[in-house]
Amino acid sequence: EPVPELAESCRRNRPLAYVQQVALVSPEKSGQTVSLITLDLMSTTADESAPEWMAQHVASAQALGARPGKCEAIGRTLSEVIDGSPFSSVDLISIDVEHGELDVVRGIDFSRHSPCVLLVETASPQEISALLPSYFSEPVRVSTRDYAWLRQL
């Protein structure tokens, strides 16, 4: 969770969970500072390459009562986060990162962290599929924007 207040809330409300206050990024952005627009549970990176999407996303969050703010977090790949955790393997990875899912998936080293199920909120399931090893199934649509890929070894 990249937003400091939300990361702290996660730690308080889930004392047995492993929580890091980082932004999930692709490998080339690891270690860099990431600027975020905070929107309660709809926070996202300040993506200047998609201004129309960003404006629509902020408006949607505001319509739900979110008050926009700003913060920064250090970028880490998902594999780096898993490496720092007490877990030796991960069975399920669920990604819901408000328009950053391709970068998050690029940050998974599947030779070390290959979940049984990968669940991703995305408008681009074929782009996600292109990033996955061949032993994952074709995407299965589980809701309007959520897709699951199953490891088939």
Side-chain angles (χ1 to χ4, degrees):
E1 172 58 55
V3 179
E5 298 81 11
L6 296 178
E8 185 54 37
S9 177
C10 285
R11 289 183 187 103
R12 271 193 321 274
N13 293 323
R14 298 179 182 97
L16 300 179
Y18 177 73
V19 179
Q20 284 194 1
Q21 193 251 313
V22 299
L24 294 176
V25 296
S26 58
E28 63 274 6
K29 295 178 185 172
S30 181
Q32 296 178 14
T33 299
V34 177
S35 297
L36 298 126
I37 296 174
T38 59
L39 296 160
D40 296 331
L41 296 179
M42 295 174 66
S43 298
T44 188
T45 56
D47 185 359
E48 295 176 8
S49 68
E52 289 179 27
W53 179 87
M54 183 62 64
Q56 181 181 21
H57 183 73
V58 170
S60 296
Q62 286 177 308
L64 295 170
R67 296 177 52 211
K70 294 181 180 182
C71 76
E72 292 182 336
I74 297 298
R76 295 281 181 251
T77 67
L78 185 50
S79 279
E80 289 171 327
V81 171
I82 295 169
D83 286 341
S85 78
F87 307 108
S88 61
S89 66
V90 178
D91 293 325
L92 168 69
I93 294 176
S94 179
I95 300 171
D96 180 351
V97 291
E98 309 306 334
H99 205 64
E101 61 274 6
L102 293 172
D103 281 341
V104 174
V105 172
R106 285 184 188 105
I108 302 171
D109 179 348
F110 288 99
S111 68
R112 296 181 298 126
H113 307 121
S114 190
C116 297
V117 179
L118 177 65
L119 180 67
V120 183
E121 179 190 54
T122 185
S124 308
Q126 295 311 318
E127 289 183 65
I128 298 292
S129 290
L131 299 173
L132 301 179
S134 61
Y135 52 79
F136 277 94
S137 69
E138 289 297 311
V140 176
R141 190 176 197 169
V142 295
S143 71
T144 306
R145 292 178 52 95
D146 294 312
Y147 294 83
W149 288 261
L150 308 176
R151 185 177 67 198
Q152 300 175 326
L153 294 177

